[in-house]
């Protein structure tokens, strides 16, 4: 397969060029390196129509067969991992090893999702009547993915939507469309025409998809701001919506941790994928007892990390993915400098090509500072010392977001008790960012609506149907 050019959409099982083209930039160079198709309104209508035509047969296909299709897709991804991951690095910026991990994780997610069955609940079984509640597919799902984990986040929707018997129109971010388009090419021969369609387009295409009367459900991952627009736009046709949105995840680090053993994990909790992770630690509350040693350990570890082009050997952190995000992150650093905050490391933005930002750690900024209150989504971390755990819990919970959090302690029981008091959809103890196809993932408050993954997430791609059978005993 050619991973350098010939990027086309998949509509009704066929390769389709765009009505126009979109430039795709390599964030390590800041230069355009490929053209993606730009979908027209008519092409979107074609994709939705194809998905609607394919729906009855796919919904009627036994789940065992749908399962087999998903496993074949999971295998095919792995067979193409080298080409896909190199392309992912070029468009997203992440180091090649991380791009490979993303594809492996997405493949495993598909495979694990394929292992689910749809539950049938017996409500009543008497001589006169049986009542069963089962799950039926919704119809055509419109799936919208962001640019930080293009393949993984697309597959979080692709797998459950298809296993449950829906058909799909998938829209990756126009900033990172290429690896998803190639994945479409790989999957094209493995699934019936129209069951999945992949379109890419400029800013209009997302709203066209979410308001389209031929789409029955929208599954969206992206920012809270866009999530609100999606929900509004889905309201007119009463589409089902699942929204996985932004976060400002706190970590609470207790005074009993072994700093040497934990510093590296805490570093990656915040800086994995350059902090461009919805569930990255974005505020780190550190008990005063370990504040000084942890500061030193994080700064020392940061100095050992190579930031550079993700395609170069040894790079651990690539560039920020796009110019707008780069400017936002640089703006937050400038604000921290202007306010006179203590930058322990980083902060100096090198001139030159590419959207590179050094790992930046800010010590003890005020709780109401921008870097504490806003979702930075970049390689900057505020360290926030605390003396009293009650104070730390209160500050951790004082956010409009509620995506995830973590608690770090040698005392597991105490850490679990604290975790249960954090107001977020997921709380990890002594790790972060562990996700599984078997666990529900969701945002509380402004971090989302609905659930993704696990059986709860799978069932969001279904409608409930209760079938009641009355038996007349006289007959
Ligand atoms: P974004 O909201 O700008 O874009 C996400 C997607 O929505 C893109 O495909 C974009 O083209 C599309 N889009 C833009 N406007 C639209 C509209 N009006 N209608 C429909 N679609 C539209 O988000 P982003 O900048 O790509 O991603 C970063 C954000 O995503 C961060 O806030 C991050 O926390 C969040 N995120 C959340 C999760 C999660 O699971 N909760 C996972 C990853 C990222």
């Amino acid at each position: 397969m050619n991973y350098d050019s010939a990027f086309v959409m998949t509509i009704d099982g066929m390769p389709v060029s765009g009505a126009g083209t979109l430039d795709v930039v390599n964030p390590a160079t800041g230069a355009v390196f490929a053209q993606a198709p730009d979908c027209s309104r008519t092409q979107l209508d074609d994709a939705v129509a194809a998905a609607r035509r394919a729906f009855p047969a796919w919904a009627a296909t036994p789940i065992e067969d749908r399962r087999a299709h998903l496993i074949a897709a999971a295998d095919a991804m792995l067979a193409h991992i080298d080409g896909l991951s190199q392309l992912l690095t070029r468009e997203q910026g992440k180091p090649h090893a991380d791009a490979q991990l993303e594809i492996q994780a997405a493949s495993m997610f598909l495979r694990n999702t394929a292992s689910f069955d749809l539950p049938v609940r017996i409500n009543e079984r008497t001589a006169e009547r049986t009542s069963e509640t089962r799950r039926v597919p919704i119809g055509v799902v419109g799936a919208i993915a962001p640019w930080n984990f293009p393949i993984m986040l697309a597959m979080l929707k692709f797998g459950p939507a298809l296993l449950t018997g829906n058909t799909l129109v998938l829209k990756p971010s126009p900033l990172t469309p290429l690896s998803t388009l190639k994945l479409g090419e790989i999957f094209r021969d493995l699934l019936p025409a129209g069951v999945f369609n992949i379109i890419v387009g400029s800013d209009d295409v997302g709203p066209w998809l979410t308001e389209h009367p031929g789409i029955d459900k929208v599954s969206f991952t992206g920012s809270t701001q866009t999530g609100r627009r999606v929900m509004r736009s889905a309201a007119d046709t009463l589409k089902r919506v699942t929204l996985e949105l932004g976060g400002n995840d706190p970590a609470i680090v207790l005074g009993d941790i072994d700093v040497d053993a934990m510093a590296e994990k805490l570093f990656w909790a915040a800086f994995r994928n350059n902090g461009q992770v919805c569930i990255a630690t974005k505020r780190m509350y550190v008990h005063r007892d370990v504040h000084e040693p942890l500061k030193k350990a994080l700064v020392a570890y940061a100095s050992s990390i190579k930031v550079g082009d993700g395609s170069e050997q040894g790079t651990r952190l690539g560039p920020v993915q796009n110019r707008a995000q780069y400017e936002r992150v640089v703006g937050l650093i400038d604000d921290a400098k202007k306010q006179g905050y203590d930058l322990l490391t980083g902060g100096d933005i090198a001139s030159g090509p590419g959207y590179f930002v050094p790992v930046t750690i800010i010590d003890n900024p005020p709780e109401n500072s921008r870097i504490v209150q806003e979702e930075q989504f970049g390689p900057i971390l505020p360290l926030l010392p605390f003396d009293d755990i009650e104070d730390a819990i209160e500050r951790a919970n004082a956010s409009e977001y509620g995506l995830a959090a973590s608690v770090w302690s040698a005392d597991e029981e105490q850490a679990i008790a604290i975790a249960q008091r954090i107001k977020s959809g997921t709380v990890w103890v002594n790790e972060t960012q562990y996700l599984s196809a078997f666990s529900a993932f969701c945002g509380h408050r402004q971090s989302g609506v609905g659930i993704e993954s696990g059986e709860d997430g799978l069932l969001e791609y279904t409608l409930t149907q209760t079938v009641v059978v009355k038996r007349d005993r006289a007959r």
Side-chain angles (χ1 to χ4, degrees):
M1 181 168 303
N2 166 16
Y3 289 96
D4 295 327
S5 57
F7 297 103
V8 287
M9 302 185 285
T10 295
I11 297 177
D12 206 10
M14 301 297 289
V16 176
S17 301
T21 56
L22 297 169
D23 288 341
V24 182
V25 170
N26 179 342
T29 62
V32 173
F33 77 101
Q35 307 288 317
D38 187 0
C39 179
S40 68
R41 177 89 207 212
T42 311
Q43 289 175 319
L44 172 66
D45 289 343
D46 292 346
V48 175
R52 292 211 79 78
R53 279 195 304 276
F55 174 66
W58 184 246
T61 300
I63 193 166
E64 290 307 331
D65 293 352
R66 297 199 299 252
R67 205 189 303 287
H69 281 289
L70 285 186
I71 291 170
D75 290 344
M77 275 178 88
L78 284 187
H80 289 83
I81 189 165
D82 286 339
L84 282 174
S85 56
Q86 278 163 23
L87 183 57
L88 184 55
T89 291
R90 266 187 290 162
E91 66 176 341
Q92 206 285 332
K94 64 184 62 186
H96 185 55
D98 290 353
Q100 291 215 321
L101 281 178
E102 179 173 342
I103 288 160
Q104 283 161 358
S107 170
M108 188 166 81
F109 179 83
L110 277 190
R111 179 174 288 281
N112 288 341
T113 297
S115 71
F116 276 100
D117 273 311
L118 288 173
V120 178
R121 205 175 54 231
I122 312 290
N123 308 311
E124 199 177 320
R125 185 176 279 158
T126 62
E128 287 136 42
R129 181 178 290 112
T130 57
S131 164
E132 281 184 5
T133 298
R134 62 190 199 111
R135 297 292 183 146
V136 296
I138 302 173
V140 179
V141 173
I144 300 177
W147 47 258
N148 57 339
F149 289 88
I151 296 285
M152 182 67 202
L153 296 173
M155 290 305 103
L156 280 179
K157 303 176 187 315
F158 182 97
L162 266 53
L163 182 73
T164 47
N166 301 280
T167 54
L168 184 72
V169 178
L170 167 65
K171 190 196 90 59
S173 167
L175 297 166
T176 53
L178 303 179
S179 45
T180 311
L181 291 171
K182 285 294 167 189
L183 200 56
E185 207 173 318
I186 294 165
F187 288 173
R188 229 177 266 152
D189 295 336
L190 302 175
L191 286 147
V195 164
F196 81 93
N197 303 269
I198 300 179
I199 51 139
V200 178
S202 48
D203 291 351
D204 290 338
V205 177
W208 289 344
L209 189 66
T210 55
E211 72 195 21
H212 202 292
I215 297 283
D216 302 293
K217 175 191 166 82
V218 175
S219 179
F220 171 84
T221 302
S223 63
T224 295
Q225 197 186 19
T226 310
R228 290 193 187 103
R229 289 197 198 109
V230 168
M231 199 163 181
R232 238 176 261 134
S233 149
D236 277 345
T237 45
L238 282 184
K239 290 180 176 60
R240 275 65 189 156
V241 289
T242 301
L243 305 175
E244 295 292 347
L245 309 177
N248 192 5
D249 291 9
I252 297 182
V253 182
L254 300 191
D256 62 359
I257 64 152
D258 177 343
V259 171
D260 291 338
M262 287 296 182
E264 191 176 330
K265 289 183 188 170
L266 287 166
F267 178 88
W268 289 114
F271 293 105
R272 180 174 168 238
N273 207 40
N274 244 334
Q276 301 167 121
V277 187
C278 55
I279 47 177
T281 295
K282 293 175 181 139
R283 303 173 280 155
M284 194 173 283
Y285 295 94
V286 183
H287 194 278
R288 191 86 57 189
D289 286 353
V290 288
H291 179 219
E292 283 303 320
L294 184 60
K295 261 163 63 170
K296 286 199 186 90
L298 288 175
V299 169
Y301 190 73
S303 70
S304 73
I305 294 300
K306 179 180 168 190
V307 179
D309 187 326
S311 63
E312 282 169 15
Q313 196 78 18
T315 295
R316 303 291 303 277
L317 289 174
V320 167
Q321 198 279 324
N322 60 77
R323 173 156 285 283
Q325 189 60 23
Y326 169 81
E327 282 169 2
R328 183 174 150 64
V329 170
V330 170
L332 281 168
I333 292 176
D334 286 347
D335 178 68
K337 286 181 178 167
K338 209 161 62 205
Q339 304 293 336
Y341 302 154
D342 183 6
L343 271 61
L344 298 175
T345 187
D348 294 326
I349 312 295
S351 60
Y355 309 139
F356 291 101
V357 176
V359 167
T360 300
I361 301 177
I362 303 177
D363 193 33
N364 202 11
E367 197 66 23
N368 65 359
S369 58
R370 285 187 60 202
I371 188 57
V372 178
Q373 292 301 316
E374 295 180 19
E375 180 187 34
Q376 61 271 48
F377 219 63
I380 326 170
L381 175 70
L383 287 186
L384 300 152
F386 69 88
D387 296 295
D388 173 11
I389 186 62
E390 292 303 319
D391 171 52
I393 294 171
E394 194 177 319
R395 288 155 73 190
N397 281 334
S399 170
E400 61 169 358
Y401 294 113
L403 192 58
S406 57
V407 182
W408 303 75
S409 172
D411 180 344
E412 196 179 292
E413 218 172 292
Q414 186 191 8
I416 293 170
I418 294 167
Q420 289 172 346
R421 294 176 60 195
I422 303 296
K423 297 181 190 163
S424 64
T426 303
V427 191
W428 291 279
V429 170
N430 293 330
E431 68 171 349
T432 50
Q433 302 182 24
Y434 174 77
L435 298 177
S436 149
F438 301 111
S439 319
F441 176 77
C442 68
H444 293 188
R445 304 194 295 290
Q446 302 296 305
S447 287
V449 170
I451 299 166
E452 193 151 63
S453 84
E455 187 182 62
D456 305 274
L458 188 77
L459 298 185
E460 294 225 352
Y461 288 91
T462 64
L463 297 171
T464 295
Q465 184 186 52
T466 296
V467 177
V468 184
V469 180
K470 172 81 171 86
R471 295 203 184 84
D472 189 345
R473 293 168 94 187
R475 264 199 279 149

